Amino acid sequence: MRMHAPLLPLAVAMMIGIALSQWFNNWVMLLAGLVIVLIFSSLLRHHPRWQTAAIAICTLLIGMLLGSRRQQQLSVEWPQEKADVDFVVISETKTGEKTVSFDAITANGQHKLRCHIRRDSDSERIEIGQGLRVHTYINKVHEWKHGTSNYKQYMQCHGFTGELYAHPNQWQWQTVSLKELSITDRLRLRFLIWRHQLLKHFQQQGIDDDAYGIIVAMTLGEKTTLSKELKDTYSQVGASHILALSGLHLMIIYSIITLVIGWHRYRIATQTITVLAIWAFALLTGLSSSVVRSAFMISIYALLSLGYRERMSVNTLAFVAIVLLIINPLSIYDLGFQLSFLSVLGILLIHPLINNMIKAHIQQQHRWLSSAWGLVTVSIAAQMSIAPLVAYHFGRFSTWFLLSNFIVIPIAWLILNIALLCMLFSWWSWAFSGLTMILAWLATAMNHTLGWVAAMPMSSIEGISLSVVQVYLIYILIACSYVAISLRFPAARRSG
C-alpha cells in the first residue's frame, strides 16, 4: 500500500523532536548535528531511501531546536522582590469564592500571565480590554499534576510565562498603551472586546443558565459558564466535541457562508470573502489551537477549490500540523490539539474504508441514505481515532456516541445559523431578543435530550485506566488493522 502523504512522516518526526527537547536542549550540539545530517543527506541524492531517512532526522532535529527555543522563551527569571507591572486583560474573568482570575498580557507584549486578584467589589468589575497596574510578586508557573493533567505543561503550551496574586491594595486601574503589542495581539484583543459585548447581550436576555452556557460555548468559545453537571452529561454521551469549537463548527459556518455568497462565476472573490470570514470568526473566539487548525485547513481547502480540486488529504493535514508546530511547538501537549488532529486523521483514513461498505451507486440513488450513512461512518471514524486518548485522560468510553451525534449535529447546524444572524443583528434589540429565545429553546431541547440519552442503560463505560504504553499499543493495533484492511480491500481505500 502506498499513501501519497510525504509530509506525514515529517510532521511525526517534528513532533517526536519537540517531545525529546524536554530532555536534550543543547543548542550547540543540535545545530552541529543538523549541519552534519544536512551535508550527509546532500551526498545521498542517488540513494533516495537513505536520503529520505536523513531528511526525517533533520526534521527531528529541527523539532528539538524549536522545542528548546520555545522553552527558553517561557523560562523567565522574575525578580525576587515585588515589582510594578502594567498589563491588559485578555480573557473573560472567572469569579471564584475568594479570587477573580483572568489572563493578561504585559504592556510591552512580551509576557502572558495568569492573574488572581483578591475578590472584592472593585475586582468584580474587571473586564477584558482594561489596563491594570499591579505591585506584587510574579512567580514562575508552578508544578502541579493530578492524574493525567500537568498544569505547568498546559500553561506552557498556551504561552504563559508566570502567575501573580494580588490583594486589593496591590492593584489599581491604569491606562495602558497598546502600541507595543503585535498587530495580531491588538487585532485579537479588539475581536475579544466585541465578543465580550455579545456575551453581555446574551446575558441580558434572561435565559436559563444551562442554555446560556451551551449557546456561548458553541458559538463564541466561552466555556467558563458551563456547569460541571452539564459538561459531565455531554462527556458521558460522547458529545463533548460539540462544546469545543473545532472543525465541525467552522465547516458548518463555511457551508453557510458559501451558500449565501456562492457566486460561482466569481470563485476567487467568493473563497476570499469566505476565508476572511472564517478567520474573523477564529479571532472572535480567541484563536484556540483547534480553531486555528480548522481555519488553516479550510483556507487550504478554499485554495484547492479554486483549482477545482475539492478534496482534503492526509498531506494537507500534515502540512497544517507542521505550520502550527513551527508557530507554537509546545502545542503538541495541548489535549485539544491532539484530539483535533487525531479525529481529522481518522476521518480522512478510516471513513472511506467504512463508507464504501455501501456501494457508491446505491448511495447516489438514495441521497437520504448517503447522508445518514455518511454521518454514521464519520462518527465511527472520529470515535475510533480519539477513543484511546479520551479513555486515558477521562477514564470513560461513550457507547451511545452515534445516537448523540444524530441529535447534536443537526441542532448545532441550526444554532450556528441563528447565532450568525444574532451577530449580524446585535444592534437591533427586538430581532436579537427573538433570535436568542429560539437559540435558548434549541439549547434546552438538546440538553434535555442528551440528559435522556445519559440516563439510558450503559450510556458509558466508566473507570477505564490505561497507561501511556497501552495507549500507544492500541494506536499501533488500529494502524495495523487499517493497513491490513487497505491491503485486503484496496478499492475501499481512498489515498491520502
Side-chain angles (χ1 to χ4, degrees):
M1 181 190 69
R2 183 182 177 185
M3 181 185 293
H4 301 287
L7 292 180
L8 182 60
L10 298 183
V12 173
M14 182 173 285
M15 291 178 186
I16 294 172
I18 293 169
L20 292 175
S21 68
Q22 290 190 84
W23 296 280
F24 188 84
N25 54 13
N26 188 312
W27 271 68
V28 177
M29 292 188 66
L30 288 173
L31 282 172
L34 181 60
V35 171
I36 292 171
V37 178
L38 280 172
I39 295 172
F40 184 69
S41 64
S42 66
L43 301 175
L44 294 173
R45 57 181 178 273
H46 299 301
H47 304 277
R49 291 187 178 179
W50 286 103
Q51 190 176 49
T52 300
I55 292 172
I57 294 173
C58 285
T59 309
L60 184 142
L61 291 172
I62 291 172
M64 294 179 73
L65 284 167
L66 289 170
S68 300
R69 177 175 175 272
R70 185 58 177 161
Q71 288 179 36
Q72 288 180 6
Q73 289 175 337
L74 297 175
S75 298
V76 178
E77 293 297 329
W78 296 104
Q80 296 298 312
E81 63 279 354
K82 292 182 179 180
D84 287 328
V85 184
D86 292 346
F87 55 75
V88 181
V89 181
I90 60 170
S91 76
E92 296 295 327
T93 59
K94 185 176 182 180
T95 303
E97 185 177 343
K98 296 181 179 180
T99 61
V100 175
S101 303
F102 53 87
D103 303 336
I105 187 169
T106 54
N108 58 15
Q110 294 181 0
H111 303 292
K112 186 178 178 183
L113 305 173
R114 175 64 56 83
C115 305
H116 307 276
I117 307 293
R118 186 75 177 181
R119 183 179 177 182
D120 63 7
S121 58
D122 286 331
S123 61
E124 289 178 352
R125 294 190 291 112
I126 295 175
E127 292 185 350
I128 190 168
Q130 291 179 334
L132 303 179
R133 172 171 289 178
V134 174
H135 180 75
T136 187
Y137 296 102
I138 302 178
N139 307 307
K140 286 186 174 182
V141 177
H142 65 275
E143 296 273 3
W144 181 75
K145 293 183 179 181
H146 178 69
T148 60
S149 301
N150 186 322
Y151 180 72
K152 183 177 181 180
Q153 203 172 70
Y154 169 84
M155 295 291 279
Q156 285 185 333
C157 74
H158 287 86
F160 290 94
T161 57
E163 296 180 282
L164 64 84
Y165 298 82
H167 291 280
N169 61 344
Q170 293 178 323
W171 72 275
Q172 63 186 29
W173 307 106
Q174 179 74 13
T175 301
V176 178
S177 172
L178 304 180
K179 291 182 179 179
E180 294 190 48
L181 299 184
S182 67
I183 294 175
T184 302
D185 284 335
R186 279 182 283 172
L187 189 61
R188 178 174 177 269
L189 185 58
R190 289 184 183 277
F191 273 88
L192 288 177
I193 292 172
W194 181 31
R195 183 182 80 155
H196 180 70
Q197 297 302 320
L198 287 171
L199 289 171
K200 276 189 170 181
H201 285 330
F202 281 122
Q203 284 178 331
Q204 292 167 358
Q205 302 307 311
I207 58 179
D208 177 74
D209 288 345
D210 283 344
Y212 170 79
I214 292 297
I215 292 169
V216 298
M218 288 181 57
T219 60
L220 296 172
E222 180 55 49
K223 295 188 290 183
T224 58
T225 57
L226 289 169
S227 67
K228 184 180 182 300
E229 295 75 15
L230 194 61
K231 287 191 285 188
D232 190 64
T233 297
Y234 275 71
S235 174
Q236 186 176 344
V237 299
S240 291
H241 61 281
I242 208 69
L243 303 178
L245 289 173
S246 61
L248 171 64
H249 302 75
L250 264 68
M251 280 305 298
I252 291 174
I253 293 172
Y254 176 85
S255 63
I256 294 169
I257 298 172
T258 303
L259 183 65
V260 173
I261 62 170
W263 312 313
H264 298 289
R265 293 183 181 180
Y266 309 103
R267 293 180 65 86
I268 294 178
T270 299
Q271 295 303 322
T272 301
I273 294 172
T274 304
V275 168
L276 289 174
I278 290 296
W279 280 104
F281 182 79
L283 283 164
L284 185 65
T285 56
L287 290 178
S288 67
S289 60
S290 58
V291 171
V292 171
R293 189 270 311 163
S294 303
F296 264 115
M297 289 284 286
I298 291 174
S299 300
I300 295 172
Y301 177 89
L303 181 63
L304 292 175
S305 70
L306 293 177
Y308 297 92
R309 295 179 57 193
E310 297 192 17
R311 56 174 296 185
M312 297 305 295
S313 67
V314 175
N315 213 40
T316 305
L317 180 66
F319 172 75
V320 174
I322 291 171
V323 171
L324 294 184
L325 290 174
I326 291 173
I327 296 172
N328 180 13
L330 301 186
S331 61
I332 62 166
Y333 300 117
D334 181 17
L335 181 59
F337 180 93
Q338 297 167 8
L339 293 174
S340 177
F341 273 93
L342 281 173
S343 62
V344 175
L345 184 62
I347 291 170
L348 290 172
L349 294 178
I350 301 172
H351 161 65
L353 294 179
I354 307 173
N355 191 62
N356 286 328
M357 293 173 67
I358 296 180
K359 301 299 182 182
H361 69 274
I362 297 177
Q363 295 191 46
Q364 291 172 357
Q365 292 174 358
H366 306 281
R367 292 294 181 183
W368 62 270
L369 174 63
S370 176
S371 299
W373 181 240
L375 180 57
V376 169
T377 56
V378 166
S379 299
I380 293 175
Q383 191 70 16
M384 284 181 63
S385 60
I386 66 172
L389 196 59
V390 171
Y392 171 71
H393 283 285
F394 303 107
R396 69 174 18 142
F397 175 77
S398 303
T399 56
W400 292 106
F401 68 90
L402 271 178
L403 176 60
S404 300
N405 280 332
F406 271 99
I407 295 168
V408 300
I409 290 179
I411 297 179
W413 189 87
L414 290 172
I415 287 177
L416 286 170
N417 271 275
I418 299 170
L420 288 177
L421 290 176
C422 282
M423 294 176 192
L424 290 174
F425 293 102
S426 58
W427 53 272
W428 187 4
S429 60
W430 182 85
F432 188 88
S433 297
L435 292 169
T436 302
M437 291 301 104
I438 299 173
L439 284 177
W441 183 85
L442 288 170
T444 302
M446 184 165 65
N447 290 343
H448 288 165
T449 307
L450 291 182
W452 170 74
V453 174
M456 294 174 67
M458 292 295 292
S459 60
S460 67
I461 301 172
E462 304 288 339
I464 300 173
S465 179
L466 296 176
S467 67
V468 174
V469 174
Q470 288 173 323
V471 173
Y472 280 123
L473 290 175
I474 292 172
Y475 277 115
I476 291 172
L477 178 61
I478 292 173
C480 291
S481 301
Y482 169 78
V483 172
I485 295 172
S486 298
L487 291 173
R488 178 65 180 83
F489 304 102
R493 177 179 61 84
R494 183 177 67 182
S495 174

